[in-house]
Amino acid sequence: MEPIKALIIDDEQLARELIKNYLKNNQDIEIIGECENGFEGALQISDCKPDLVFLDIQMPKLNGFEMLELIEDPPEIIFITAHNDFAIRAFEMNAVDYLLKPYSQERLLTAIQKATERIRSGKTSEEKITQLVHQPLTEKLERIVVKSGTKIKVIPVDKIIYLEAQDDYIMIYTDEGKHLKQGTMKYYEDHLDESKFIRVHRSYIVRMDQVVQLEPYAKDNYIIKLKNGSSLKISRNGLKNLKEKFDF
């Protein structure tokens, strides 16, 4: 039987070495590569098509969850992290396993056994991982990752001017251009810092420090002017939100 092809994605070299050392005599797993950040990981997964990934969550530039957003056909995932913040979330969504550093060789082998059974049976966790990625977060977004062709763009939320709903996608406008990403306005309304962003219409969320003025354009209707010259419609609820935020 062919060994399971596995990839290690972790920014700590010692953590990667530990996994390889624990598995050096394991005939069921073949380590086909290792990456030290999410950017490399996304490319390696696309190129090498591993069956299994050992994935750290907290990594610089692109964390494990952000990386998974870029993968169209995710392999089985065993999360390995020093942080327990996402443990309940991972278990609830039935990810293969979630190992908290430091962990023993026996604990890793238990996770390997779970992954092996799932892979050999052909029952993938793609749906579960997809659900895991899109599950509501408790923390506020600090950046948004978008993919355009082979390019990956990381947008700090402080660079966003406004968001516009476009069917099942969101257009993100910045000083450097605009970027399309799948998502909902509700998600971004819930996960952008409410002290910096405000929803002014069912189709628009704006960064408050980009607001220049409001102008009437019909009876009881207003548009909002932004620093970049954009003019956006405001709903009644949006006007109410603006009055509360700007106290006028």
Side-chain angles (χ1 to χ4, degrees):
M1 187 174 293
E2 292 291 325
I4 291 171
K5 297 185 296 182
L7 183 67
I8 305 170
I9 305 174
D10 196 313
D11 62 319
E12 298 178 20
Q13 182 179 357
L14 289 177
R16 301 196 301 271
E17 294 298 327
L18 180 65
I19 294 174
K20 289 189 290 185
N21 185 54
Y22 278 170
L23 297 177
K24 64 182 179 182
N25 296 320
N26 191 307
Q27 302 300 313
D28 292 329
I29 303 294
E30 177 189 1
I31 304 297
I32 61 171
E34 55 185 281
C35 308
E36 61 183 24
N37 59 63
F39 284 110
E40 292 180 9
L43 294 174
Q44 285 283 337
I45 290 174
S46 297
D47 290 343
C48 302
K49 308 293 184 188
D51 305 304
L52 174 66
V53 169
F54 300 101
L55 180 62
D56 191 11
I57 294 177
Q58 299 290 0
M59 295 182 287
K61 297 183 180 179
L62 197 68
N63 67 40
F65 290 115
E66 292 169 335
M67 187 209 73
L68 286 174
E69 289 188 60
L70 305 174
I71 307 301
E72 295 181 356
D73 185 18
E76 299 296 334
I77 302 293
I78 294 176
F79 291 103
I80 295 179
T81 176
H83 304 273
N84 62 4
D85 306 31
F86 304 103
I88 294 176
R89 181 177 163 198
F91 279 120
E92 285 179 346
M93 301 311 298
N94 198 28
V96 173
D97 213 332
Y98 188 104
L99 304 187
L100 192 61
K101 299 174 182 176
Y103 56 89
S104 67
Q105 183 179 27
E106 289 73 21
R107 183 68 184 85
L108 178 65
L109 294 177
T110 298
I112 294 289
Q113 181 64 30
K114 292 180 184 177
T116 301
E117 291 174 357
R118 183 173 290 181
I119 292 169
R120 300 293 190 213
S121 69
K123 296 179 181 178
T124 70
S125 60
E126 179 180 352
E127 182 180 353
K128 295 297 185 182
I129 291 298
T130 300
Q131 292 173 347
L132 179 61
V133 169
H134 293 94
Q135 209 184 181
L137 303 173
T138 55
E139 69 272 20
K140 297 300 181 184
L141 291 172
E142 296 181 354
R143 57 195 186 188
I144 297 174
V145 180
V146 297
K147 186 177 182 181
S148 178
T150 58
K151 296 181 179 178
I152 298 170
K153 181 77 173 179
V154 178
I155 305 171
V157 296
D158 287 341
K159 299 293 184 182
I160 295 172
I161 298 174
Y162 71 97
L163 306 176
E164 179 183 24
Q166 295 190 1
D167 297 324
D168 295 331
Y169 291 84
I170 301 296
M171 185 66 79
I172 303 167
Y173 293 84
T174 72
D175 286 330
E176 299 176 351
K178 56 186 181 180
H179 310 275
L180 193 64
K181 184 178 176 67
Q182 191 171 28
T184 66
M185 293 296 278
K186 180 68 168 58
Y187 175 84
Y188 288 104
E189 184 179 17
D190 289 344
H191 296 97
L192 287 171
D193 188 341
E194 62 270 17
S195 69
K196 297 180 180 178
F197 290 87
I198 185 169
R199 188 164 184 172
V200 298
H201 189 272
R202 60 183 173 82
S203 297
Y204 301 114
I205 294 173
V206 303
R207 205 174 88 215
M208 286 192 288
D209 65 4
Q210 295 296 302
V211 176
V212 175
Q213 62 184 11
L214 307 183
E215 293 181 0
Y217 76 96
K219 183 179 180 182
D220 297 329
N221 289 311
Y222 288 80
I223 57 174
I224 189 170
K225 293 275 191 179
L226 303 182
K227 289 180 179 177
N228 72 339
S230 298
S231 298
L232 310 177
K233 290 183 179 179
I234 305 172
S235 66
R236 290 185 178 179
N237 283 336
L239 183 60
K240 179 182 176 183
N241 293 337
L242 284 164
K243 286 182 175 179
E244 291 176 353
K245 289 289 185 181
F246 289 97
D247 192 23
F248 63 89

